[in-house]
Amino acid sequence: YMETFSLIQINHIQNIQIDRKRKGEIVNRYLFEVLCFIEKNGKKEYGIREISDAIQISGNTVSKSLQEAKISGYIEGKQMLSITSKGIEALEPYRVKKAVIMAAGFGARMMPATADRPKPMVTVNGKRIIDTLLDALVNVGIKDIVIIRGYKKERFNEILEKYPFVRFIDNDRYDKENNISSVILASKEINNGYLCEADLYITNPEVIRKYQYVSNILGSYSLETDDWSFRIKDGYISEYQKGNTYCYNYYGISYWTKEDCQKLRSDWAEIYKDNKGVFWEEVPLILKKENYKVEIRQCNKQDIMEIDNYYELAQLDETYR
């Protein structure tokens, strides 16, 4: 089916592309996901079921997207398919090039491990917590990285030996205000990129994707939780609260489009004037949620380890026992 196309099919796809250009679009969501999957996995023989199961799109839609990709010159090959330079060019507007990491907090529940260093600089089985995130970002080509630091901020200079491209913003109000103060200080840096918390020990670096299509927050499905979580309505986050059932656990890794970043800067500034005690994510998910359509990007619970206290740290690394 990949090699023979009728004139009707070709004309139909060309008309779709003309309509997209008129709307300012490059590829639609389905074609985007198919191209990302092939780009990530390289030249090989792909089955419709394999792609469909991986990107959670129906086989019929995958087949149509492959046809469009072939006619458009985004992929090439007969049995062995691979993405072309034109396909890479089509994905380029969606490539994430920037990340801001919030690392200003104290980490009181991790004492005494945090007595002389911030929580992200604590080692777990010989590896610093923040290194798991930095390695995942670098693995997909992201080196424009800003870290917002506060408590024991000078300790973060140690990472420059391994990551000399990292830049710092100092938040000296970290112990007086909530983390909205960090995003206010870094608002100009938060633009079409990742916004991450620094205290997540990442065991699966694939939670950081090279390309992103819409604003989203990482979450894993849970029947019940007493932690921060959200639910979905019509494909977007509808509820954000502590404790819930049939929901998604919140993980502090999010991506925001250029358009949403513009709105975030304005909404953060408005809320911050009167309320310096809110979490940054409460603005797009609760206080100003009518301005945003944020998806949940699903992950597995084992992809990220949240180390909330010293006891959990000692369970993972016996040197702390």
Side-chain angles (χ1 to χ4, degrees):
Y1 70 91
M2 287 298 299
E3 290 302 310
T4 305
F5 306 106
S6 71
L7 187 59
I8 294 176
Q9 286 175 303
I10 294 173
N11 287 337
H12 176 65
I13 289 174
Q14 288 175 340
N15 288 334
I16 290 175
Q17 292 172 331
I18 291 171
D19 186 55
R20 281 203 201 120
K21 289 181 180 178
R22 191 181 298 118
K23 295 178 181 177
E25 297 178 357
I26 299 170
V27 297
N28 68 11
R29 181 68 177 276
Y30 305 133
L31 181 55
F32 167 81
E33 296 292 349
V34 169
L35 290 177
C36 285
F37 185 76
I38 294 176
E39 188 277 336
K40 176 184 174 182
N41 291 281
K43 186 176 183 178
K44 57 176 282 190
E45 186 173 346
Y46 292 92
I48 299 294
R49 175 62 65 84
E50 174 192 2
I51 300 176
S52 176
D53 289 347
I55 65 177
Q56 298 180 325
I57 295 174
S58 71
N60 186 46
T61 301
V62 168
S63 179
K64 290 179 180 178
S65 296
L66 286 171
Q67 288 181 347
E68 181 179 350
K70 186 74 172 183
I71 292 171
S72 303
Y74 296 154
I75 60 174
E76 62 184 1
K78 295 182 179 180
Q79 293 181 339
M80 303 285 286
L81 299 180
S82 61
I83 195 166
T84 64
S85 58
K86 191 175 180 180
I88 296 295
E89 184 180 343
L91 286 177
E92 181 61 21
Y94 305 98
R95 185 160 69 90
V96 187
K97 302 177 182 179
K98 195 176 190 68
V100 173
I101 302 174
M102 293 182 296
F106 173 39
R109 289 179 295 177
M110 288 277 282
M111 284 288 285
T114 53
D116 64 342
R117 70 194 64 210
K119 181 179 176 181
M121 296 295 289
V122 171
T123 60
V124 181
N125 296 318
K127 188 167 187 175
R128 292 176 302 217
I129 292 174
I130 197 170
D131 284 22
T132 66
L133 174 58
L134 291 171
D135 287 346
L137 291 167
V138 172
N139 187 54
V140 294
I142 300 174
K143 290 189 175 182
D144 188 353
I145 301 172
V146 173
I147 295 177
I148 310 166
R149 59 185 183 174
Y151 171 70
K152 300 289 183 182
K153 60 186 180 182
E154 67 282 351
R155 293 301 302 262
F156 283 103
N157 293 332
E158 298 170 14
I159 71 173
L160 293 175
E161 182 177 353
K162 184 178 179 182
Y163 313 98
F165 42 82
V166 167
R167 295 178 289 126
F168 299 114
I169 292 177
D170 293 343
N171 181 358
D172 295 326
R173 301 193 294 270
Y174 74 91
D175 58 341
K176 302 176 182 66
E177 301 172 359
N178 219 323
N179 65 13
I180 191 172
S181 63
S182 287
V183 294
I184 289 293
L185 288 170
S187 61
K188 293 182 179 179
E189 299 286 351
I190 300 170
N191 186 22
N192 190 25
Y194 285 111
L195 180 56
C196 308
E197 295 175 2
D199 59 352
L200 301 174
Y201 192 93
I202 297 176
T203 57
N204 179 12
E206 291 189 6
V207 297
I208 300 294
R209 291 184 58 176
K210 183 186 292 187
Y211 303 100
Q212 292 283 0
Y213 200 83
V214 295
S215 296
N216 61 75
I217 299 177
L218 208 64
S220 63
Y221 184 74
S222 183
L223 289 176
E224 184 274 337
T225 182
D226 57 4
D227 210 340
W228 286 98
S229 60
F230 27 57
R231 285 177 172 166
I232 296 178
K233 182 178 181 181
D234 299 327
Y236 302 106
I237 294 174
S238 61
E239 298 177 24
Y240 180 62
Q241 63 186 57
K242 194 164 188 178
N244 216 328
T245 56
Y246 306 103
C247 57
Y248 290 85
N249 276 107
Y250 166 81
Y251 290 111
I253 295 178
S254 61
Y255 165 79
W256 301 90
T257 64
K258 180 179 179 180
E259 295 74 22
D260 280 345
C261 284
Q262 291 174 345
K263 290 185 286 186
L264 282 170
R265 284 192 287 271
S266 176
D267 289 340
W268 280 333
E270 179 184 341
I271 297 297
Y272 182 70
K273 287 179 183 178
D274 301 316
N275 190 347
K276 295 174 173 53
V278 303
F279 294 110
W280 72 265
E281 71 273 10
E282 290 182 82
V283 176
L285 299 183
I286 299 175
L287 301 174
K288 293 284 186 177
K289 66 179 182 179
E290 68 276 4
N291 294 341
Y292 304 89
K293 290 184 176 180
V294 186
E295 293 188 6
I296 293 174
R297 185 160 59 89
Q298 293 190 47
C299 68
N300 297 316
K301 291 188 184 299
Q302 61 265 31
D303 291 340
I304 296 176
M305 288 191 299
E306 289 189 292
I307 308 171
D308 289 329
N309 52 58
Y310 190 87
Y311 176 79
E312 292 181 2
L313 175 64
Q315 292 295 105
L316 293 171
D317 186 337
E318 63 181 15
T319 61
Y320 291 100
R321 295 176 188 174

